[in-house]
Amino acid sequence: MPNPLVKLAMTGASLAAGYVGQKLLIAGWEAVFGEDAPTDQNVKQSAKDTKAVRKMAKKEGLTKEELQEIRDPEEDRPFWQAVLWTILTGVILQALREAASSGTRIIAQKLSGRRPSPNRG
């Protein structure tokens, strides 16, 4: 039966690795491409901002054609960037989580495991 402290340490390490990995991926994306990463939060915020802009434009009396010309910047993102982000967040973050969990399991088992008495004769 696995030690509950080992399981707890593995879970914590996995969560921490996922969080740190996500932050590193976002920073790397912004450094390479010079734009916000297509995270779920950024995509939702972009849609919300576009909706607000359309609403204001409608209040100003723009026609339907002019309103349809207002596009969400996320719709103009190249398809390959969305695929690349999906691969990076799926594969790399999962690999980081697994590595952190595995390493933590090994270390925690060594630290918490019972050692035989040194004077066994």
Side-chain angles (χ1 to χ4, degrees):
M1 181 171 170
N3 188 340
L5 292 175
V6 173
K7 286 190 164 254
L8 185 64
M10 287 171 53
T11 302
S14 179
L15 290 173
Y19 179 78
V20 170
Q22 180 80 11
K23 294 296 180 187
L24 289 173
L25 278 175
I26 289 171
W29 185 277
E30 291 173 355
V32 171
F33 293 108
E35 59 187 26
D36 289 341
T39 61
D40 290 340
Q41 182 180 4
N42 286 346
V43 170
K44 288 178 184 177
Q45 186 62 42
S46 177
K48 188 176 178 181
D49 293 343
T50 303
K51 185 177 178 180
V53 168
R54 285 183 181 146
K55 187 175 181 179
M56 289 300 295
K58 188 174 183 179
K59 284 183 180 180
E60 292 174 2
L62 271 67
T63 64
K64 285 186 178 183
E65 292 79 22
E66 292 170 329
L67 288 174
Q68 288 176 347
E69 290 176 9
I70 299 173
R71 295 179 47 92
D72 186 353
E74 288 296 324
E75 291 175 4
D76 297 332
R77 183 178 299 276
F79 178 74
W80 65 268
Q81 283 186 351
V83 171
L84 178 64
W85 180 255
T86 302
I87 290 170
L88 288 175
T89 56
V91 174
I92 291 178
L93 286 181
Q94 187 61 28
L96 283 173
R97 287 184 192 116
E98 287 295 322
S101 179
S102 173
T104 303
R105 179 179 45 84
I106 292 168
I107 292 170
Q109 282 177 344
K110 286 183 179 182
L111 291 175
S112 68
R114 295 184 62 203
R115 294 190 179 117
S117 176
N119 56 353
R120 290 189 291 172

